Each structure stands twice: as structure tokens, then as C-alpha cells.
Amino acid sequence: MSDLTDVTAPDAGALAEVETGGGPLAGLRVLVPRSADRAGPLLDALRRAGADPVAAPLVTIARPIDPAPMDDAAARLAAGGYDWVAVTSGFTVDSLEAAALRAGHTLADLLAAGRLANPGSTRVAAVGDATAAALARAQVPADFVPVALQSARGMLAEWPSTRLGATVLLPQSDLAEPTLSDGLAARGWEPVTVVSYTNRPAPSLPPELVADLAAGRVGAVVLTSGSVARRLVQQVALPATTLVCSIGPRTAEVAADLGLPVGVVADRPVPDAVVAALVAAVTPGQPTPPSGTGPATTLPAATLPTAALPTALAPSAPPPRTAPPPAPSPAPRSHPAPEPDPQVNPVIPDRRNRPRRLRTTAAVRRMVSETRLRPADLVLPLFIKEGLTAPHPIASMPGVVQHTRASLRTAVEQAADAGLAGVMLFGVPLVRDATGTGATDPHGILNLAIADAVAAADGRLVVMADLCLDEFTDHGHCGVLRPGPDGEVVVDNDATLDRYAEMAVVQARAGAHLVAPSGMMDHQIARVRDALDEAGFTDVLVLAYAAKYASAFYGPFRDAVESTLEGDRRTYQMDPGNRREAAREVAADVAEGADLVMVKPALPYLDVLADVAATSPVPVAAYQVSGEYAMIEAAAANGWIDRRRAIEESVLSIRRAGAELILTYWATELAGWLTEPTGSTR
Ligand SMILES: NCc1[nH]cc(CCC(=O)O)c1CC(=O)O
């Protein structure tokens, strides 16, 4: 699959520049398994290095026997029917272009039509730089190209974040291995494979070439795919002295399985990397380059065919290569050279490529940091308890208190001074009943606190109110109850919606800028939106707790609100194992008019958060909940972790996963660190 198909563009002009004679590969005869018209750039690169390449095709590439599947794929592409198209070779670019032309378009127009029909769809992935270049020649920019390893495996390793159920068109060779398609499917994508070209054994190699290969008169052989390796071993038994160069690790594995030991693997499937690999392998005395600095992987010394060099020379090759000097005795090693692990990417990257350069100083790190946090990304949750005369500490949340009305105003002012986006208010009433009457009492504690907070904020931040009944009901559930068929207790979805609708209007009348339904009732967003609109509060925002899981991490919060809940909330909050379901909840809430959606808890659900962030059309919030807070505080109090660094890293990670807004009990303190002149958080 990682195939020099990637270098097929014939580039006739370059031939003129070619020197022969000198160069690091002087005199080395190299079999290039391609017809001369398909191998142009590799032949040129080899000649420039002094080699004497011999082009002979081992497989021929042909159109698919049945063009209909490609035509169907093209039609669906034009309709925006694929989220991605993954292009794994230059041949596939040709095949896509041909299918587009059969439909009367260029490939670029076809893809543009797809994106227009379905915004966000029809993104293009290329397996490597050369395929991306082939796409670019067709006026198609690649949206994604793997960096580390340019092969099916590398593509999979770096494939953009998972989106459940999203489709990927995979036009590929009839012999393509299922690596990419299986790997994408395992990650929740829907790959659609279509044969874009076929690989057929080429006619036998000319007898003279077979004789030269068998006698070791061809010093090196380039393998561009597993099928090339297979066809080669069918026709000739290479002597152990012939240097076999693979364009990628997967082809090397196939060759090894065929009994063809590969001496060197190019770090990229492009001509320059093949030449660099050959140079590294034939340069006398050059030991296996230390990890991270070599241009290519040279395999263990025993298989390095440096001894083969004299026979590698064509007898007439000018100028004759002198025998290599004896290799310097290797430095004593304390450990034997490690065996290459076939499971591990054996590529040693180019020595010019040093990622650590971007980490050398704090100033450089700051310059290139990908994730930045601002106070305006943070929301502070606050608890207000009815009848308190002094703030009351919450044992399981050290540093967090239940506020009095006065201390709440101060906390809101501090939050505004710190530049926070907002505060989220939770009320703790003195009296609770079956339907949570306190929630809809204009003089209930939460509604009084909303008015206080709005006054204290003075327009400098968004005052948000938790819209849920659990703090107000005597049973502690988020809704009202009815008996079920077997006498069990059921949280009544639709009766609860009536309560939420009323509560939303009361909160809006108290001045809330935003209400946040957190009860996970079906249709709660639609109902709340309609109630607000009917009461004239069309500008009050709705933040939907869209993907809220039935989590053990809410434990300390239940202390904070003195929850009376017995049992659990598993009939309305989500099952922690469910990821796909989050997409459904988010889609429903967005359709019902949510202005923002939330994932909760945060750190244990970063995968869900990343999914939602990748697809949500509205801003995404995440709630770093009480248990997440308590864990870090407890570990820090024991001296087990660095409190500030753990706080910064945890919130930064939530931001990195895609949250635009983060609810965290550390919001004010963290905002202070963020605005320190030399703050350690980037
Ligand atoms: N009103 C429900 C609500 N809103 C926020 C939290 C938890 C927040 C936290 O744990 O920090 C809860 C508790 C629950 O669903 O059981």
C-alpha cells in the first residue's frame, strides 16, 4: 500500500540534468520495478546519485475490470455522500480523475460539488506527500496527510478524531490489505472500499536481467509493494549479497515473509528517501545510525550487504568503484543491538527533523502552544444556601463553600474581576417537597440569588442558573415521580417538563442570562425554549446538559447541595459506557434549540467531548465536576501531586479535547494564574 505509485508523474525534463559517474551510489546497478515511463522521478534521483538504474515492471497497473463501482462512488462524492475520501496512491488519483471525467467533471469540481451539497463533508486524506502532490496536480488540496509514517498504518495512527458513523470512501488497489479499512471501522468510522485499480503480474523479466539478478550483477533492488516482492521471488532467487531496499515497513514485512531479507527501508515512499536509504546502506563503515538521526533504517549488520558491493558493480560501470575500506572496528557495546520489533514502526526519521527544537525554551514553547486558556473560557459554579449567616465549608470539596447571599455577591464580583465567562448558580433550600416547589417560588433561594448575582455582576459576566429539581425535591430526583406498573418509582418525564417550563420562566424573571437544564429529561430543551419564548424571554440563552452521564464523580456535589437522593439516576442520566449515544443527545438538544451543549463530567469523558466538539454546530461546554475537583485536592493535600500543575493540566486537557467553555470550581483561582505575567499555564 505504501507504494511508489506515489511518484508516477512522468517528468521528462528532469532527465537532462542527470549526471553519471560520481555520486554516493557510483556504479551501483539498481532494479526499479516499474516501466520507464512510470518510474521517471526515481530513475532520475538514482542517476543523480551516480547509480545505474534498470527499469523493468514486475506488476502492471490497470483499470478496474468493472468501472461501475467507481462511477457510483463518484456520483455519491458529488452529492456530498462521504465525509472523507482517503487516497492511498497516485494511481487512485488517476482513477478518481478518470471517473470524474466520465461523469463530465474534473475531480476538483466533483469534490467541490460534494462540499457544497453537504458542508463539512468530502474532506480529502492523502497517504503521503507524493500522493498529496498528485492530488495537488489535480487541483485538489489534501486536508490530511500523515506526518510520521506515510502508509496505511501511518494514516490510521494519525487519522483525525473519531466521528461515529462518518463515512470514508477508500478507493484502492484490488490487492490492498484491509489495514486501513478495518482500522477505521474499529474506530467507529464507516469505510466504503472500492477497487480503483488492479495489480496484475507483468510479463516475465527479460532473461538477461534474470541472469544478472541471479548472479548478483544487480547490486540493489527496490521493492515498491508486496505484490512486486511476490512477483520478483517467483522469477529469480536473489543472492544474499543483493541489497533489497523497501519503500516502507509493510512492504519489508511482506518481503521478509517471502524469504527476501530487506537490507534497508526508506523512511518515506518518495524517490529522495529511497536514494538516501540506499546511500546509508552502501556507505562503507557507516554503522546503523543512532535512533532519530538517520535518514533511513538500516537493518541489522548481519543482513547489511556491504560485502556485496563489488558484485554490485556492472563490469563496465565508469568509474570503477574501489573496494570498500575495512569497516572500522565497532565501538564496544555494553548491550547487544536490539532486534527490530516488527510491531514497532522501524522508521528512523530524517536527522533534520528534531521536534525537540520547538521545546527548547519557555518562550519558544509559548509561541507554539496549540491550546490556550483564557479566563473567559471559565465558568465558576457557586452554591447558595437558604438561611446561612456565614459561608459554610463543604467537607468533601475543600476550598468550596455554601454561600450566604452576601458572600455570593462577593464571589460573583471576584469572578467578574478575574475575567471569567460566567457563574453557574445552584440553590440549597431549607424546605423540600415532592414537586420541588421552592424552585418555582420567586422568593426561593435560587431565584433570590440569581437577582443578587445579576446585580453584582453588573453586566461583566453571564449569570447562569442550574435548571433542575434535585436540590428542591424531598426525594432528591431531578423530576417529579409517579408509581410504575410494578409499584416502583418512576421519574415522570412529561410531568417534569411542566415543572422545568415554569422554573425557566421564574429564573428568567429573576434576571438569569442563561438557564441550564441539567435533568436529562427528553425534550427538556424544546419545552424550556418554548416557555421562555412565550413569556417574552427570547434572548435568554439555553445551555443544554446534553451528554450528562450517571457518574460516581458527582459524589461531593451531593454533599454540597445536601442531596437526599436514595438510589441513582440511571433511568435518565447516560450510561458511562455509551459514546455513540452522546451524539444522539447532542443532536436532539441542538435541534430543540440549545444555544450551547455540555458534556459532563469532563476528564473521564474526553473522548465524548472530542466527538461532540468535532461535530457540534453550537459552542461546547464541559463540566469538571465535584469528584474531579475532590480527587486533585485530596491528592495535593497529601503531597502526592503538585496542586497547581495538576489543576492547570486537567483544565488545559479539557480545553484541548475541544471544550470552549469549562465549568470548574477552580475558575477564579485559575484565572488569576492565567493572567500572571509569567504564568506557567500557556
Ligand atoms: N442538578 C443536577 C446536577 N447539576 C450538577 C451536578 C453535579 C455537579 C458536580 O458534581 O460538580 C448535578 C448532580 C447530579 O446530576 O447528580
Side-chain angles (χ1 to χ4, degrees), residues 141-164:
D143 298 298
F144 159 68
V145 186
V147 178
L149 178 59
Q150 303 201 322
S151 67
R153 278 182 199 168
M155 230 175 163
L156 198 56
E158 294 179 37
W159 190 265
S161 72
T162 299
R163 223 182 98 190
L164 292 171

Short mmCIF file of all heavy atoms in Angstrom, two decimals, residues 141-164:
data_model
loop_
_atom_site.label_atom_id
_atom_site.label_comp_id
_atom_site.label_asym_id
_atom_site.label_seq_id
_atom_site.Cartn_x
_atom_site.Cartn_y
_atom_site.Cartn_z
N PRO A 141 -6.49 20.08 -2.94
CA PRO A 141 -5.62 20.11 -1.76
C PRO A 141 -6.00 19.00 -0.78
O PRO A 141 -7.19 18.71 -0.61
CB PRO A 141 -5.90 21.49 -1.14
CG PRO A 141 -7.17 21.97 -1.74
CD PRO A 141 -7.48 21.15 -2.96
N ALA A 142 -5.02 18.37 -0.17
CA ALA A 142 -5.31 17.32 0.82
C ALA A 142 -5.56 17.99 2.17
O ALA A 142 -4.81 18.88 2.58
CB ALA A 142 -4.15 16.34 0.92
N ASP A 143 -6.60 17.53 2.86
CA ASP A 143 -6.91 18.10 4.17
C ASP A 143 -6.09 17.42 5.26
O ASP A 143 -5.93 17.95 6.35
CB ASP A 143 -8.39 17.90 4.49
CG ASP A 143 -9.28 18.62 3.50
OD1 ASP A 143 -9.17 19.86 3.44
OD2 ASP A 143 -10.02 17.97 2.76
N PHE A 144 -5.60 16.23 4.97
CA PHE A 144 -4.88 15.48 5.99
C PHE A 144 -3.84 14.58 5.31
O PHE A 144 -4.16 13.88 4.35
CB PHE A 144 -5.86 14.63 6.81
CG PHE A 144 -5.22 13.47 7.54
CD1 PHE A 144 -4.34 13.70 8.58
CD2 PHE A 144 -5.48 12.15 7.18
CE1 PHE A 144 -3.73 12.63 9.25
CE2 PHE A 144 -4.89 11.09 7.83
CZ PHE A 144 -4.01 11.33 8.87
N VAL A 145 -2.61 14.68 5.79
CA VAL A 145 -1.53 13.80 5.32
C VAL A 145 -0.78 13.34 6.57
O VAL A 145 -0.39 14.18 7.38
CB VAL A 145 -0.55 14.56 4.39
CG1 VAL A 145 0.47 13.60 3.80
CG2 VAL A 145 -1.29 15.29 3.29
N PRO A 146 -0.58 12.05 6.78
CA PRO A 146 0.16 11.66 7.99
C PRO A 146 1.60 12.15 7.93
O PRO A 146 2.17 12.30 6.84
CB PRO A 146 0.11 10.13 7.96
CG PRO A 146 -0.20 9.77 6.56
CD PRO A 146 -0.96 10.91 5.96
N VAL A 147 2.14 12.42 9.07
CA VAL A 147 3.48 13.01 9.12
C VAL A 147 4.53 11.95 9.41
O VAL A 147 5.55 11.86 8.73
CB VAL A 147 3.52 14.11 10.22
CG1 VAL A 147 4.91 14.69 10.33
CG2 VAL A 147 2.52 15.19 9.89
N ALA A 148 4.29 11.12 10.41
CA ALA A 148 5.36 10.25 10.87
C ALA A 148 5.59 9.08 9.92
O ALA A 148 6.71 8.82 9.52
CB ALA A 148 5.04 9.73 12.27
N LEU A 149 4.52 8.40 9.55
CA LEU A 149 4.68 7.21 8.73
C LEU A 149 3.68 7.31 7.60
O LEU A 149 2.48 7.40 7.83
CB LEU A 149 4.39 5.98 9.61
CG LEU A 149 4.44 4.61 8.94
CD1 LEU A 149 5.81 4.36 8.33
CD2 LEU A 149 4.11 3.51 9.94
N GLN A 150 4.19 7.33 6.35
CA GLN A 150 3.30 7.57 5.22
C GLN A 150 2.91 6.24 4.61
O GLN A 150 3.47 5.80 3.61
CB GLN A 150 3.96 8.53 4.25
CG GLN A 150 4.31 9.83 5.00
CD GLN A 150 4.50 11.02 4.09
OE1 GLN A 150 5.04 10.90 3.00
NE2 GLN A 150 4.05 12.18 4.55
N SER A 151 1.96 5.60 5.23
CA SER A 151 1.47 4.31 4.78
C SER A 151 0.06 4.16 5.36
O SER A 151 -0.41 5.03 6.09
CB SER A 151 2.35 3.20 5.31
OG SER A 151 2.22 3.13 6.72
N ALA A 152 -0.57 3.02 5.05
CA ALA A 152 -1.91 2.79 5.60
C ALA A 152 -1.86 2.85 7.13
O ALA A 152 -2.71 3.45 7.77
CB ALA A 152 -2.43 1.43 5.14
N ARG A 153 -0.84 2.21 7.70
CA ARG A 153 -0.74 2.22 9.17
C ARG A 153 -0.54 3.62 9.72
O ARG A 153 -1.12 3.99 10.73
CB ARG A 153 0.48 1.42 9.60
CG ARG A 153 0.23 -0.03 9.64
CD ARG A 153 1.52 -0.64 10.13
NE ARG A 153 1.54 -2.04 9.78
CZ ARG A 153 2.60 -2.79 9.86
NH1 ARG A 153 3.76 -2.26 10.26
NH2 ARG A 153 2.55 -4.05 9.54
N GLY A 154 0.32 4.36 9.04
CA GLY A 154 0.60 5.72 9.50
C GLY A 154 -0.65 6.59 9.39
O GLY A 154 -0.94 7.42 10.25
N MET A 155 -1.40 6.37 8.33
CA MET A 155 -2.63 7.13 8.13
C MET A 155 -3.59 6.86 9.29
O MET A 155 -4.19 7.76 9.86
CB MET A 155 -3.28 6.64 6.85
CG MET A 155 -3.67 7.73 5.92
SD MET A 155 -4.27 7.03 4.39
CE MET A 155 -5.09 8.49 3.80
N LEU A 156 -3.68 5.59 9.62
CA LEU A 156 -4.58 5.18 10.69
C LEU A 156 -4.12 5.79 12.02
O LEU A 156 -4.93 6.30 12.80
CB LEU A 156 -4.56 3.66 10.76
CG LEU A 156 -5.69 2.99 11.49
CD1 LEU A 156 -7.02 3.40 10.91
CD2 LEU A 156 -5.51 1.48 11.36
N ALA A 157 -2.81 5.74 12.23
CA ALA A 157 -2.29 6.22 13.51
C ALA A 157 -2.59 7.69 13.71
O ALA A 157 -2.84 8.15 14.82
CB ALA A 157 -0.79 5.97 13.58
N GLU A 158 -2.60 8.45 12.62
CA GLU A 158 -2.77 9.91 12.77
C GLU A 158 -4.14 10.37 12.30
O GLU A 158 -4.40 11.57 12.23
CB GLU A 158 -1.69 10.65 11.98
CG GLU A 158 -0.30 10.41 12.53
CD GLU A 158 0.75 11.15 11.70
OE1 GLU A 158 0.49 12.27 11.23
OE2 GLU A 158 1.84 10.58 11.52
N TRP A 159 -5.00 9.43 11.98
CA TRP A 159 -6.31 9.81 11.41
C TRP A 159 -7.02 10.78 12.34
O TRP A 159 -7.00 10.62 13.55
CB TRP A 159 -7.15 8.55 11.19
CG TRP A 159 -8.38 8.82 10.40
CD1 TRP A 159 -9.62 9.08 10.89
CD2 TRP A 159 -8.49 8.87 8.98
NE1 TRP A 159 -10.49 9.30 9.85
CE2 TRP A 159 -9.84 9.18 8.67
CE3 TRP A 159 -7.59 8.70 7.92
CZ2 TRP A 159 -10.30 9.30 7.36
CZ3 TRP A 159 -8.06 8.83 6.62
CH2 TRP A 159 -9.40 9.12 6.35
N PRO A 160 -7.66 11.82 11.81
CA PRO A 160 -8.32 12.82 12.65
C PRO A 160 -9.36 12.18 13.56
O PRO A 160 -9.78 11.06 13.33
CB PRO A 160 -9.00 13.74 11.64
CG PRO A 160 -8.30 13.51 10.36
CD PRO A 160 -7.76 12.12 10.38
N SER A 161 -9.81 12.96 14.51
CA SER A 161 -10.57 12.39 15.62
C SER A 161 -11.78 11.60 15.12
O SER A 161 -12.35 11.86 14.08
CB SER A 161 -11.08 13.50 16.53
OG SER A 161 -12.10 14.18 15.87
N THR A 162 -12.13 10.65 15.89
CA THR A 162 -13.22 9.75 15.52
C THR A 162 -14.54 10.49 15.41
O THR A 162 -14.83 11.36 16.19
CB THR A 162 -13.34 8.68 16.60
OG1 THR A 162 -12.11 7.98 16.65
CG2 THR A 162 -14.45 7.71 16.29
N ARG A 163 -15.29 10.12 14.40
CA ARG A 163 -16.65 10.60 14.34
C ARG A 163 -17.51 9.41 14.04
O ARG A 163 -17.41 8.82 12.99
CB ARG A 163 -16.77 11.62 13.22
CG ARG A 163 -17.58 12.82 13.63
CD ARG A 163 -17.70 13.76 12.50
NE ARG A 163 -18.97 13.57 11.85
CZ ARG A 163 -19.28 14.13 10.71
NH1 ARG A 163 -18.41 14.88 10.08
NH2 ARG A 163 -20.45 13.95 10.18
N LEU A 164 -18.33 9.07 14.99
CA LEU A 164 -19.06 7.83 14.84
C LEU A 164 -19.97 7.89 13.63
O LEU A 164 -20.67 8.87 13.41
CB LEU A 164 -19.87 7.58 16.11
CG LEU A 164 -18.96 7.28 17.28
CD1 LEU A 164 -19.74 7.24 18.57
CD2 LEU A 164 -18.22 5.99 17.07
#
